[in-house]
Amino acid sequence: MTLIGASGSGKSLLLRCLNRFIELFPNLHVSGEINYRHHALNEWNVSQLRCRMPMLFSRPSLLPTSIYENVAFGARVHGYQGDLDALVQSSLQQVDLWQALKNDLGKPALHLSLEQQQRLCLARAIALQPEIPLLDDFDTAATRRIEECLYHLKQTYTVIMATHHLRQVARISDWTAFLALQTNSQGQMVGQLIEYAPTYLLFQRPEHPLTGEYVSGRF
Amino acid sequence: MTAVDPIAVAVGQDALVEVRQLSVFYRNQPLLSDVSLTLYPRNW
């Protein structure tokens, strides 16, 4: 599922609400309700919740250590009891990095290209065995390799991403939510959900005129 | 690129995430208002 909309429309805020990342911002508060697997978010252990919904950002945030350690770190911290080598291999295979890096696992991760670093971050999230990876403007360059990676991942995971790349959304997303800044009754500009629909419907037969204008590039 | 109609398969499935009337405020100024949506699992 993808969140689209102009900057400031609330895409990232909504993502940050889903794994309670928003609680790290003391000046923000939230009203309303979010249930994950029929349990209110505050019933979940926050650490467990963020393992199930890891968040990835536009800039790769790698540890200054080896490729192997970058993938294994989170799983080890969270007490993974299985075969760590197999987990690293499987995670790297899912982002199509295994063949390229299998002989260099001990080398520094920061020496990889930016695009490989992004995929390595994805592998690290996969090693946590998540259910819903949250991608916030993750593929800023809209590279073909990462798009292929995301397309492959959505066969296994329920991926939620916020992005500005509408063509990419049309190619790989099943459902799309469009948010836009609207003026409320107090004259304040507020992000609102305008339309949420299967992607092909939202792009080809949008119900709201504003959605049509946005997906056709008129604003 | 969707193999099946997501509307058809979503009917009757267990919701994975339900967002109900979610609003976010910065020092009492609304940033995001009244968002409601339901997300169903990709694989079931």
Side-chain angles (χ1 to χ4, degrees):
Chain A
M1 193 271 264
T2 304
L3 305 171
I4 60 170
S7 296
S9 59
K11 305 182 298 296
S12 297
L13 278 177
L14 180 52
L15 275 186
R16 283 160 172 71
C17 289
L18 296 177
N19 70 353
R20 294 173 52 186
F21 199 68
I22 201 155
E23 294 173 8
L24 301 175
F25 301 85
N27 290 324
L28 296 178
H29 75 271
V30 176
S31 70
E33 180 185 339
I34 300 179
N35 294 315
Y36 169 45
R37 290 203 169 275
H38 304 294
H39 292 278
L41 286 189
N42 59 14
E43 293 175 26
W44 286 86
N45 171 289
V46 72
S47 175
Q48 187 185 20
L49 182 71
R50 289 177 189 155
C51 276
R52 287 170 176 249
M53 298 191 207
M55 183 166 267
L56 294 106
F57 304 95
S58 54
R59 286 187 176 204
S61 51
L62 293 174
L63 303 169
T65 179
S66 68
I67 292 165
Y68 182 98
E69 280 304 313
N70 266 278
V71 180
F73 178 78
R76 186 185 286 129
V77 165
H78 288 281
Y80 181 72
Q81 297 293 315
D83 182 341
L84 209 50
D85 291 352
L87 180 69
V88 168
Q89 178 174 343
S90 160
S91 303
L92 288 171
Q93 282 170 333
Q94 289 185 66
V95 298
D96 199 21
L97 275 178
W98 175 250
Q99 283 303 322
L101 301 182
K102 64 182 179 184
N103 296 321
D104 297 323
L105 297 179
K107 291 187 176 174
L110 294 173
H111 288 182
L112 297 174
S113 72
L114 198 62
E115 183 263 333
Q116 284 183 320
Q117 288 186 26
Q118 279 293 67
R119 283 194 282 152
L120 190 60
C121 287
L122 208 45
R124 185 171 59 191
I126 288 169
L128 294 172
Q129 301 177 304
E131 184 163 29
I132 312 178
L134 307 174
L135 311 183
D136 188 9
D137 208 11
F138 178 71
D139 187 14
T140 46
T143 57
R144 186 174 173 184
R145 293 296 294 273
I146 289 182
E147 182 175 318
E148 286 172 355
C149 204
L150 295 177
Y151 186 75
H152 174 70
L153 287 179
K154 77 164 196 169
Q155 315 303 324
T156 307
Y157 307 98
T158 302
V159 179
I160 305 180
M161 63 179 194
T163 184
H164 295 276
H165 293 296
L166 298 183
R167 288 181 184 175
Q168 187 180 71
V169 174
R171 286 193 295 267
I172 66 173
S173 183
D174 294 319
W175 285 73
T176 299
F178 169 57
L179 293 97
L181 278 171
Q182 300 278 276
T183 307
N184 68 8
S185 55
Q186 282 81 47
Q188 299 160 318
M189 295 295 284
V190 184
Q192 292 186 350
L193 176 64
I194 305 299
E195 194 166 341
Y196 175 47
T199 301
Y200 70 94
L201 283 179
L202 191 128
F203 277 75
Q204 292 170 21
R205 295 195 297 279
E207 288 194 356
H208 197 290
L210 208 55
T211 310
E213 289 177 23
Y214 185 76
V215 298
S216 62
R218 288 200 287 273
F219 82 92
Chain B
M1 297 181 82
T2 306
V4 290
D5 181 346
I7 290 180
V9 293
V11 171
Q13 299 298 330
D14 245 9
L16 185 59
V17 177
E18 295 170 291
V19 179
R20 296 283 170 261
Q21 294 183 304
L22 181 79
S23 297
V24 180
F25 302 85
Y26 173 77
R27 293 178 177 168
N28 296 325
Q29 294 280 340
L31 299 176
L32 183 67
S33 177
D34 242 5
V35 172
S36 295
L37 57 84
T38 303
L39 183 69
Y40 294 91
R42 183 66 187 86
N43 295 321
W44 40 75

